[in-house]
Amino acid sequence: FFLVFFCLFCFVLGVFFVFLFQIDYTGTEPSSPCNKCLNVSWDSSAPCTCTINFTLEHSFESNVFMYYGLSNFYQNHRRYVKSRDDSQLNGDNSSLLNPSKECEPYRTNEDKPIAPCGAIANSMFNDTLELYRIENETRVDIPLIKKGIAWWTDKNVKFRNPTGDGNNLTALFQGTTKPVNWPKPVYMLDTEPDNNGFINEDFIVWMRTAALPTFRKLYRLIERKDSLEPTLQAGNYSLVITYNYPVHSFDGRKRMILSTISWMGGKNPFLGIAYITVGSICFFLGVVLLIIHHKYGNRNTSADIPN
């Protein structure tokens, strides 16, 4: 009975976790609106923009979490994970101008120290996603919140800007240069002082490396404003993508994911697949053991010799 109960429990969890909405915007298909951006490179002179229209069949009632997802991207590679300088990221002024050798070959560029140094920072995700609702053939902008997406300990403990006279980040980062693949320096990631430099939350989220080659990272929050209205109503929507991040060279894929939080946490397709797989195995073993018990369970196992 325990095996049957566990099997049903796994099936229920699997079905619960597997539902979420996602759009693949890699653009490998010729019919995709983003196909024109497929061969974008780090040093492209101008960003490529594409728009994907989609329909939500069901409303999202509570707060919505927007993620970007990458596939075939190995953030768990040993040398990649080590390619950073935590002292520099914590605002240490000496490490700012003399980064760790672990950052090689992204330690210096043109005889200037790179800030932030290392392969993780150099490969930071930089696509821009905008979401609109289509009402009477007009686009209505959906506000996307860019703060509150990083872990509190990362934002307030692990990542800090350099210290010095005044709060002018341009002066504090003087003598350093931007990562090779970045279009602009770290002190220009945002216009708001509390979300700029090393404490920029998009940067902090990227620096927390993923354990698997297919992963997703929190990009924006969509808060529910009216308790009587869903956060995202069922209907037509438009996703506008500023396509900057190249993945075609390593057969990667990119996705935009919309999800909600429930009492069991976020919806995750990996957990859903895992639970359904375990439930299926348990069910199969239960049937096999039942057949074995029915066929052989009533045999006389007594060692007594009959008269």
Side-chain angles (χ1 to χ4, degrees), residues 218-292:
L218 186 57
Y219 179 71
R220 293 292 182 265
L221 304 175
I222 307 174
E223 288 188 345
R224 185 175 187 177
K225 295 183 177 180
D226 189 345
S227 59
L228 300 178
E229 295 289 338
T231 308
L232 293 179
Q233 301 176 359
N236 297 322
Y237 290 82
S238 180
L239 177 68
V240 179
I241 304 136
T242 304
Y243 199 112
N244 300 312
Y245 201 73
V247 296
H248 185 56
S249 61
F250 56 89
D251 295 326
R253 301 197 72 85
K254 300 191 289 187
R255 307 180 312 281
M256 184 281 296
I257 303 163
L258 297 175
S259 181
T260 57
I261 288 292
S262 68
W263 66 274
M264 297 191 72
K267 296 183 178 180
N268 191 321
F270 173 79
L271 289 177
I273 294 170
Y275 281 127
I276 290 177
T277 301
V278 172
S280 300
I281 294 174
C282 290
F283 181 78
F284 174 75
L285 292 177
V287 172
V288 171
L289 292 175
L290 180 64
I291 294 174
I292 293 175

Side-chain angles (χ1 to χ4, degrees), residues 47-264:
C48 183
T49 303
C50 57
T51 301
I52 296 180
N53 298 317
F54 64 94
T55 301
L56 288 181
E57 300 294 339
H58 304 285
S59 299
F60 283 74
E61 299 294 338
S62 59
N63 292 339
V64 177
F65 297 79
M66 176 186 282
Y67 300 84
Y68 61 86
L70 293 176
S71 298
N72 203 34
F73 191 108
Y74 288 82
Q75 270 200 317
N76 56 2
H77 191 281
R78 181 182 61 85
R79 292 190 62 185
Y80 181 90
V81 171
K82 292 175 62 178
S83 186
R84 60 189 292 163
D85 187 340
D86 288 321
S87 295
Q88 185 192 60
L89 297 173
N90 195 241
D92 183 74
N93 287 2
S94 61
S95 297
L96 180 68
L97 299 176
N98 185 26
S100 169
K101 292 183 179 179
E102 296 286 359
C103 289
E104 294 288 2
Y106 302 106
R107 181 173 177 265
T108 61
N109 186 30
E110 297 179 351
D111 297 327
K112 286 187 177 182
I114 295 176
C117 70
I120 307 176
N122 188 62
S123 60
M124 178 181 168
F125 182 84
N126 63 343
D127 281 358
T128 301
L129 307 177
E130 300 173 86
L131 190 62
Y132 298 90
R133 184 172 66 252
I134 308 299
E135 292 184 356
N136 299 323
E137 298 184 354
T138 60
R139 298 197 311 185
V140 178
D141 179 53
I142 296 178
L144 303 178
I145 300 173
K146 59 186 176 182
K147 294 182 181 180
I149 61 175
W151 289 21
W152 186 92
T153 52
D154 288 349
K155 175 77 173 180
N156 297 279
V157 179
K158 293 184 178 182
F159 291 79
R160 295 179 181 176
N161 283 323
T163 56
D165 296 333
N167 296 319
N168 187 345
L169 287 183
T170 304
L172 293 176
F173 282 97
Q174 187 175 7
T176 66
T177 186
K178 66 179 181 66
V180 178
N181 289 339
W182 285 27
K184 53 189 176 182
V186 68
Y187 51 82
M188 295 180 63
L189 289 180
D190 202 336
T191 57
E192 300 183 31
D194 61 343
N195 193 43
N196 201 7
F198 289 158
I199 59 173
N200 176 264
E201 297 202 28
D202 285 325
F203 171 68
I204 294 173
V205 168
W206 177 257
M207 292 300 291
R208 180 169 285 277
T209 54
L212 299 172
T214 296
F215 59 87
R216 66 183 186 183
K217 291 179 183 284
L218 186 57
Y219 179 71
R220 293 292 182 265
L221 304 175
I222 307 174
E223 288 188 345
R224 185 175 187 177
K225 295 183 177 180
D226 189 345
S227 59
L228 300 178
E229 295 289 338
T231 308
L232 293 179
Q233 301 176 359
N236 297 322
Y237 290 82
S238 180
L239 177 68
V240 179
I241 304 136
T242 304
Y243 199 112
N244 300 312
Y245 201 73
V247 296
H248 185 56
S249 61
F250 56 89
D251 295 326
R253 301 197 72 85
K254 300 191 289 187
R255 307 180 312 281
M256 184 281 296
I257 303 163
L258 297 175
S259 181
T260 57
I261 288 292
S262 68
W263 66 274
M264 297 191 72

